[in-house]
């Protein structure tokens, strides 16, 4: 019984790391994703509508997080396991903050986009079980249709599966050493 409560405590501390879906098929945004493994941050690297500059003309930052279990598996294999969740958090920036006299700092949340590998759920029309979700103000989102440009761009330019590991400095060498990089 003591082991059960320890496991229950560990699950509640870590939160759900597998994709969770509502009864209508919408994915639930993991509430604790900012406690996950931070892979990288970029300035003015995002693409599509979320990548545009903000109203003041400041570039946006993107922060990428991976679920801890997926990250640990990637370190062992150089590829992403099934049930992987990668979160792209897009934030506005500002340069007129406090004592800052140059450069940019991250400010408000502009968008959250999620890339999920779930081979049981995403079969027909989805390449290798990967799907994208764009979260607005809601904590649930339906999958972006598999005909959207994000799929072909990721398939063409992603270095591991359909993911941009080439932009994750802590993982690119792992993928090369383990043979996970696309030819």
């Amino acid at each position: 019984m003591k082991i059960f409560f320890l496991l229950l405590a560990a699950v509640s501390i870590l939160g759900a790391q597998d994709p969770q879906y509502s009864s209508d098929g919408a994915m639930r945004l993991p509430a604790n994703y900012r406690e996950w493994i931070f892979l990288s941050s970029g300035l003015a690297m995002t693409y599509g509508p979320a990548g545009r500059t903000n109203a003041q003309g400041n570039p946006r930052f993107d922060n990428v997080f991976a679920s801890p279990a997926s990250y640990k598996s990637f370190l062992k294999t150089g590829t992403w396991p099934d049930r992987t969740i990668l979160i792209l958090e897009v934030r506005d920036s500002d340069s007129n903050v406090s004592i800052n006299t140059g450069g940019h700092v991250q400010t408000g949340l502009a968008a959250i986009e999620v890339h999920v590998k779930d081979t049981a759920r995403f079969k027909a029309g989805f390449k290798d079980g990967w799907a994208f979700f764009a979260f607005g103000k809601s904590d649930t989102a339906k999958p972006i249709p598999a005909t959207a440009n994000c799929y072909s761009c990721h398939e063409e330019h992603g270095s591991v599966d359909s993911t941009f590991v080439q932009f994750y400095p802590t993982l690119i060498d792992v993928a090369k050493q383990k043979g996970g990089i696309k030819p």
Side-chain angles (χ1 to χ4, degrees), residues 80-98:
W80 297 110
D82 196 25
R83 314 281 288 164
T84 289
I85 304 173
L86 299 172
I87 296 187
L88 176 70
E89 177 191 72
V90 182
R91 290 195 168 268
D92 286 323
S93 74
D94 198 349
S95 58
N96 299 316
V97 177
S98 186

Side-chain angles (χ1 to χ4, degrees), residues 11-35:
V11 168
S12 66
I13 289 168
L14 292 175
Q17 292 183 18
D18 278 347
Q20 303 293 312
Y21 305 96
S22 63
S23 60
D24 67 350
M27 183 184 174
R28 291 187 176 99
L29 181 66
N32 68 332
Y33 75 87
R34 294 203 106 253
E35 298 171 14

Side-chain angles (χ1 to χ4, degrees), residues 16-22 26-28 30 36 67 70 82-85 114-119 121-122 133:
Q17 292 183 18
D18 278 347
Q20 303 293 312
Y21 305 96
S22 63
M27 183 184 174
R28 291 187 176 99
W36 289 6
S67 58
S70 296
D82 196 25
R83 314 281 288 164
T84 289
I85 304 173
V114 177
H115 197 182
V116 175
K117 184 177 186 178
D118 190 337
T119 58
R121 182 171 289 268
F122 303 110
F133 297 81

